[in-house]
Amino acid sequence: MLGLWSLLLFCGLVTPCQGLLETVGTLARIDKDELGKAIQNSLVGGPILQNVLGSITAVNQGLLGSGGLLGGGGLLGHGGIFGIVEKLSGLKIEELTLPKVSLKLLPGFGVQLNLHTKVVMHCSGPLGGLLQLAAEVNVSSRVALGMSSRGTPILTLRRCSTPLGHISLFSGLLPTPLFAVVEQTLFKVLPGLLCPVVDSVLSVVNELLGAVLGLVPLGALGSLEFSLATLPLISNQYIELDINPIVKSVAGDIIDFPKPQAPAKVPPKEDHTSQVVVPLYLFNTVFGLLQTNGALDMDITPELVPSDVPLTTTDLAALLPEALGKLPPHQDLLLSLRVKEAPMVTLHDKKALVSIPASIHVLFSVPQGTPESLFELDGVMTLRAQLAPSATKLRISLSLERLSVKVTSSFTHAFDEMPLEEWLSQVVRAVYAPKLNVALDVGIPLPKILNVNFANSVLVIIENAAVLTVAS
């Protein structure tokens, strides 16, 4: 516990910078509007905690429902703390309006959270008849933002009070002295009744914040786990999280791909928007995993190639008649493509490019025999990457921009490789690029924070990163 408070104290000393921010990791900037939505949703219920949180009309069981604080067995029910007031005047809670949430971010500390609500009560009046009272209450709390022992952001209640507003009498007669007793009683008991509501709200929100630590499967490639790299930072408009992505193999071993030396310079965030920065490191990591798992290798045979793409010795001899004119005609060609080095991703000037080095071995089939080698090439494929955000990941789709090759060995004398480049480009576009796009279906996972949905975000490619921005 002491460690947590130490972290919270240290957190109070740091705030985000307001200019360009340099980072090599994943960065999330969550607008205060999103925090307000999460708090409001925790009060009215939601799909995650619908069995815990109920409506204030007591239609369902829950935090504010008939089985919760307002119910017969709850804090405000028979036998609860409010029995003090019942003994005085038979006062009972009738309704608690849905709190209106307002919050203010406190730079370097956390959140000033206010829940403004109205408590409606009724009782039997001392002069006979039914009395109906209403009291406006502002549940005012200061909440610290820190990092839990699990490495997730956490909100902790530090101080709570319940200043009373206007108390009104809807019906009946109440002598002034008794009215004062009721007011004093409410002043004493309401903090114990309504401050636990804040704690319950924070526990719901902390579960949403804790989802950032989730393990995201990458299919046969392994998994990706997010955790906080540093303490959360807070400004007057947003919470900033520096998130550390940890890549693991299928066996659970940590895979440490080298991080780029040049950081991304992230521009300032606009108000009422949330932002996530996907660094170059994650792009290189995904392609590195594909390469080490052999997902970028391919054997291309005639069965895989469309009929309009030439893949016979006759077609090849037509391209290089001097060097390959003596090949036996109409024999099928076989291409063995191997990627022995990790691809290189470039994010620059609103464009994403992937450079894949590959060796290409070209063979031709021999009737009732083993395929024979024609030549081997070292090539570099440069592919344009189209990026599309979804709710949970950044999707990648590749298309070939250019291909260059160089002959490394041949059964015949040296020849000009240029005629081969256009032919191989046809093959890559028709067969290889679609295979890559299937393998890339895993995409790049996005950190899950407060259920912010980046599916409709605006994506901008900057130097060494992709920035997704969504309006709150």
Side-chain angles (χ1 to χ4, degrees):
M1 190 65 182
L2 179 61
L4 174 60
W5 291 120
S6 299
L7 290 177
L8 293 175
L9 178 62
F10 181 75
C11 183
L13 303 178
V14 288
T15 56
C17 68
Q18 299 301 312
L20 289 174
L21 175 68
E22 294 190 353
T23 180
V24 295
T26 302
L27 189 75
R29 291 167 166 174
I30 307 302
D31 194 82
K32 69 176 184 178
D33 294 345
E34 295 295 342
L35 181 59
K37 288 179 189 177
I39 292 171
Q40 189 74 54
N41 290 339
S42 71
L43 289 167
V44 300
I48 298 176
L49 298 176
Q50 59 186 356
N51 293 328
V52 178
L53 301 180
S55 68
I56 59 158
T57 56
V59 174
N60 301 315
Q61 301 292 322
L63 181 65
L64 300 179
S66 59
L69 292 176
L70 300 183
L75 288 172
L76 301 185
H78 297 293
I81 299 176
F82 211 79
I84 299 171
V85 183
E86 291 189 81
K87 292 178 182 178
L88 290 172
S89 58
L91 194 63
K92 296 180 181 179
I93 295 293
E94 187 176 75
E95 182 184 353
L96 181 66
T97 61
L98 179 65
K100 180 181 178 182
V101 176
S102 64
L103 61 85
K104 178 183 179 181
L105 297 186
L106 306 175
F109 177 79
V111 183
Q112 174 67 43
L113 173 62
N114 294 315
L115 304 178
H116 188 271
T117 185
K118 180 183 288 187
V119 181
V120 179
M121 300 153 281
H122 72 267
C123 65
S124 297
L127 302 179
L130 182 69
L131 292 180
Q132 195 172 31
L133 297 163
E136 294 183 358
V137 184
N138 181 39
V139 185
S140 177
S141 56
R142 284 174 68 91
V143 179
L145 174 66
M147 184 165 63
S148 73
S149 59
R150 296 173 55 241
T152 60
I154 187 171
L155 295 167
T156 305
L157 181 61
R158 297 291 295 273
R159 190 172 68 200
C160 179
S161 61
T162 56
L164 289 178
H166 179 66
I167 299 177
S168 57
L169 179 63
F170 286 170
S171 63
L173 296 175
L174 184 64
T176 301
L178 189 54
F179 192 95
V181 170
V182 172
E183 183 177 16
Q184 291 174 10
T185 304
L186 288 176
F187 182 79
K188 291 179 181 179
V189 302
L190 282 178
L193 301 175
L194 298 181
C195 288
V197 174
V198 179
D199 264 326
S200 298
V201 166
L202 294 182
S203 68
V204 175
V205 176
N206 282 335
E207 283 195 31
L208 296 177
L209 289 172
V212 70
L213 197 64
L215 194 67
V216 183
L218 296 175
L221 303 181
S223 61
L224 184 66
E225 184 176 354
F226 292 111
S227 64
L228 288 187
T230 61
L231 290 169
L233 307 180
I234 192 164
S235 73
N236 59 2
Q237 187 61 36
Y238 61 89
I239 296 170
E240 183 175 288
L241 304 176
D242 187 0
I243 300 172
N244 181 36
I246 302 172
V247 182
K248 295 183 178 180
S249 67
V250 175
D253 300 322
I254 295 177
I255 302 174
D256 189 17
F257 286 96
K259 291 181 172 59
Q261 297 298 317
K265 296 182 178 180
V266 185
K269 184 190 79 68
E270 296 181 2
D271 289 349
H272 308 296
T273 63
S274 291
Q275 190 180 74
V276 65
V277 179
V278 183
L280 179 63
Y281 165 74
L282 276 185
F283 287 86
N284 284 328
T285 294
V286 169
F287 281 96
L289 285 173
L290 290 171
Q291 187 268 326
T292 54
N293 281 268
L296 302 182
D297 299 337
M298 187 177 187
D299 291 325
I300 301 173
T301 60
E303 296 80 13
L304 303 175
V305 178
S307 58
D308 59 338
V309 177
L311 203 67
T312 68
T313 52
T314 302
D315 301 315
L316 195 57
L319 292 175
L320 299 167
E322 292 186 7
L324 304 175
K326 296 181 179 180
L327 285 176
H330 310 300
Q331 300 300 309
D332 290 333
L333 294 177
L334 309 173
L335 276 65
S336 175
L337 191 152
R338 296 292 181 267
V339 179
K340 298 178 180 179
E341 298 178 13
M344 180 179 295
V345 181
T346 304
L347 301 175
H348 173 72
D349 195 23
K350 301 180 181 181
K351 182 185 290 189
L353 296 177
V354 182
S355 178
I356 302 179
S359 63
I360 304 172
H361 190 187
V362 180
L363 308 93
F364 71 96
S365 60
V366 177
Q368 300 178 351
T370 303
E372 295 186 11
S373 175
L374 286 175
F375 49 84
E376 293 187 33
L377 308 167
D378 279 344
V380 177
M381 293 173 282
T382 302
L383 301 103
R384 179 74 173 265
Q386 297 292 332
L387 308 180
S390 70
T392 58
K393 60 186 175 182
L394 186 60
R395 299 183 181 277
I396 306 174
S397 178
L398 300 179
S399 59
L400 183 68
E401 279 209 343
R402 60 184 179 273
L403 180 149
S404 60
V405 295
K406 181 180 180 180
V407 176
T408 57
S409 67
S410 173
F411 83 104
T412 183
H413 57 77
F415 54 84
D416 183 10
E417 304 96 340
M418 288 188 62
L420 293 176
E421 293 179 349
E422 180 58 35
W423 168 64
L424 288 171
S425 296
Q426 283 184 274
V427 176
V428 169
R429 290 189 179 100
V431 183
Y432 187 65
K435 169 190 164 64
L436 291 185
N437 289 330
V438 171
L440 282 168
D441 187 59
V442 295
I444 297 179
L446 300 176
K448 186 178 181 182
I449 307 169
L450 292 181
N451 285 334
V452 178
N453 188 341
F454 285 92
N456 297 317
S457 61
V458 176
L459 187 146
V460 177
I461 297 174
I462 62 174
E463 192 79 21
N464 296 324
V467 181
L468 284 66
T469 304
V470 64
S472 299

